[in-house]
Amino acid sequence: MPLNGPPDQCHPNQFTVRKEWGDLKPAERKAYTTAVVCLQNKPSKLDSALYNTTSRYDDFVAIHINGTRRIHNDGLFLVWHRNFVWLYEHALQSECGYRGAQPYWHWIKHAKNLTASPLFDGSEFSLSGQGLPLSAEEKAKQPPCRVGNVTCPTADGGGCVTDGPFVNYTIGYLPSNPLEMANPDPALPPTAFHYQKRCFSRNLNQYVATNIQTADNLAAVENATTIASFQALLDNASGTGRPGLHPFGHWTLGPTGADIFSSPADPAFWLHHGMVDKLWTEWQAKDPWARVYGTNALSGPVTGLNIPPSEDASLGHMLEWGPNEQELPVGAVMAVGRGKFCYKYA
Ligand SMILES: [Cu+2]
């Protein structure tokens, strides 16, 4: 527990409602992506000499890259990303005039046909669609679709996105080496912030959606009884006998959205992590004290894959989200419905 105890509960009339993308009206979807495009066109607030940021949107990608080795495959993953999504939602609202709440992407609802879904149908009310097909030669150079020892075929897009709201959006951080997470040296690779402006590419992977984004895999996560098994089922391709919905959700987006360092470069990242947060919020609500502040709240070390070996995550452990954001103890951001997290999921 942080020294001054849990944050105050939100007043009932303070709540905003985070809705599923497909449940938003077209105009609400458009309002959201318009605010995202606004962030993509605002100047960075980070030191661009350090991070090579070219926009306010890049700031979020850079902060994620910077934290990658401390916020994945460990006991801080869920809690760090909860506030990361909130900070982004807050930036859309306070810097780009967005009046709605952060939407989420219910993986199972749209798994049947990604490119026909309201998320990715390429219309102006979507998050843009599939990337252009690649030549056989380019396709062979795509990073393999793989999490742990579970592999998936490369899909048929992968090139530039040419429709929808993000048609003019460009990305910059170079692809990372997936083995970097397990590098015994926890320092960021010297190339972590290397930047080369290029088109935003996507490779929507229907194989992953069909075979992994299943109601059965979701129910297994929801029915986990310990935070250790909840995290393992959600996040870990090995050991549970089930592929993880979180990492494979990244792979439904292709290499841009699956790069563990720079994945926020795909704007669908925020809806994907909205779903992760929704699942965790609902899971916590089944046993609110134990799963928020008690014995079933946290599991795992404070370094990714425990490299270097570290203590277990605790409520007093301090978290940071880049130089412009307040550092907070884990215990300050554990509960939805308290403090600044006055939102609920519909
Ligand atoms: Cu992440």
Side-chain angles (χ1 to χ4, degrees), residues 64 68 71-72 77 80-81 84 246 250 260-261 263-264 269 273:
H64 188 270
T68 296
I71 57 170
H72 299 109
F77 164 70
W80 190 91
H81 285 80
F84 190 48
H246 162 247
H250 280 283
I260 193 164
F261 286 81
S263 52
F269 172 95
H273 271 277

Side-chain angles (χ1 to χ4, degrees), residues 130-134 142 155-160 201-204 255:
Q130 175 67 306
L132 291 174
L134 297 172
Q142 287 261 292
D156 295 327
C160 299
S201 59
R202 203 182 251 157
N203 204 354
L204 295 171

Side-chain angles (χ1 to χ4, degrees), residues 4-346:
N4 34 9
D8 290 340
Q9 276 184 310
C10 301
H11 191 271
N13 62 19
Q14 278 181 297
F15 281 88
T16 60
V17 181
R18 292 185 175 181
K19 295 181 185 163
E20 212 282 323
W21 184 256
D23 292 336
L24 294 179
K25 297 187 184 90
E28 293 173 320
R29 290 186 224 144
K30 190 76 196 161
Y32 177 77
T33 55
T34 299
V36 175
V37 171
C38 159
L39 271 196
Q40 291 166 345
N41 289 292
K42 283 219 166 212
S44 167
K45 292 184 181 176
L46 292 181
D47 180 350
S48 57
L50 280 179
Y51 299 109
N52 290 317
T53 40
T54 66
S55 71
R56 185 74 180 108
Y57 190 92
D58 272 352
D59 290 358
F60 288 89
V61 187
I63 288 164
H64 188 270
I65 292 173
N66 198 48
T68 296
R69 296 288 304 268
R70 298 183 299 278
I71 57 170
H72 299 109
N73 305 111
D74 64 16
L76 304 175
F77 164 70
L78 290 167
V79 71
W80 190 91
H81 285 80
R82 168 169 288 165
N83 191 48
F84 190 48
V85 172
W86 187 89
L87 291 168
Y88 179 77
E89 177 188 44
H90 186 67
L92 293 175
Q93 294 164 341
S94 63
E95 299 174 43
C96 283
Y98 178 54
R99 307 188 59 164
Q102 175 62 42
Y104 67 93
W105 159 21
H106 194 299
W107 308 310
I108 317 307
K109 275 190 189 166
H110 305 293
K112 245 187 200 145
N113 191 344
L114 291 173
T115 56
S117 74
L119 289 137
F120 304 120
D121 66 10
S123 75
E124 63 170 316
F125 305 114
S126 71
L127 301 170
S128 290
Q130 175 67 306
L132 291 174
L134 297 172
S135 68
E137 195 188 338
E138 289 168 323
K139 188 174 171 179
K141 283 191 267 177
Q142 287 261 292
C145 176
R146 178 191 183 106
V147 182
N149 50 21
V150 181
T151 57
C152 23
T154 299
D156 295 327
C160 299
V161 165
T162 58
D163 55 18
F166 304 121
V167 63
N168 295 317
Y169 166 55
T170 57
I171 62 172
Y173 295 108
L174 294 179
S176 69
N177 178 350
L179 301 176
E180 200 53 52
M181 268 309 280
N183 186 338
D185 177 357
L188 282 175
T191 54
F193 296 106
H194 283 202
Y195 199 97
Q196 206 174 80
K197 187 173 159 170
R198 58 199 195 277
C199 75
F200 165 46
S201 59
R202 203 182 251 157
N203 204 354
L204 295 171
N205 194 314
Q206 188 56 46
Y207 175 93
V208 172
T210 302
N211 292 284
I212 296 175
Q213 295 188 312
T214 63
D216 188 52
N217 281 336
L218 183 69
V221 176
E222 290 171 336
N223 294 331
T225 55
T226 66
I227 184 64
S229 62
F230 178 86
Q231 291 177 164
L233 284 160
L234 181 66
D235 209 31
N236 191 345
S238 62
T240 61
R242 283 177 190 273
L245 284 164
H246 162 247
F248 279 103
H250 280 283
W251 269 111
T252 55
L253 300 169
T256 303
D259 189 299
I260 193 164
F261 286 81
S262 60
S263 52
D266 187 324
F269 172 95
W270 307 97
L271 287 89
H272 176 51
H273 271 277
M275 180 65 179
V276 170
D277 189 59
K278 173 184 190 277
L279 278 180
W280 186 35
T281 301
E282 291 169 354
W283 187 85
Q284 288 182 303
K286 290 179 193 170
D287 191 357
W289 192 262
R291 293 185 183 189
V292 178
Y293 299 116
T295 51
N296 207 8
L298 292 164
S299 169
V302 298
T303 49
L305 301 169
N306 201 28
I307 303 170
S310 63
E311 73 272 19
D312 281 345
S314 62
L315 295 172
H317 183 83
M318 293 303 289
L319 296 171
E320 51 103 4
W321 291 268
N324 299 320
E325 303 297 345
Q326 196 190 356
E327 284 187 30
L328 293 169
V330 167
V333 280
M334 281 298 284
V336 169
R338 287 180 182 269
K340 61 181 185 171
F341 293 152
C342 297
Y343 61 84
K344 45 179 110 182
Y345 285 98

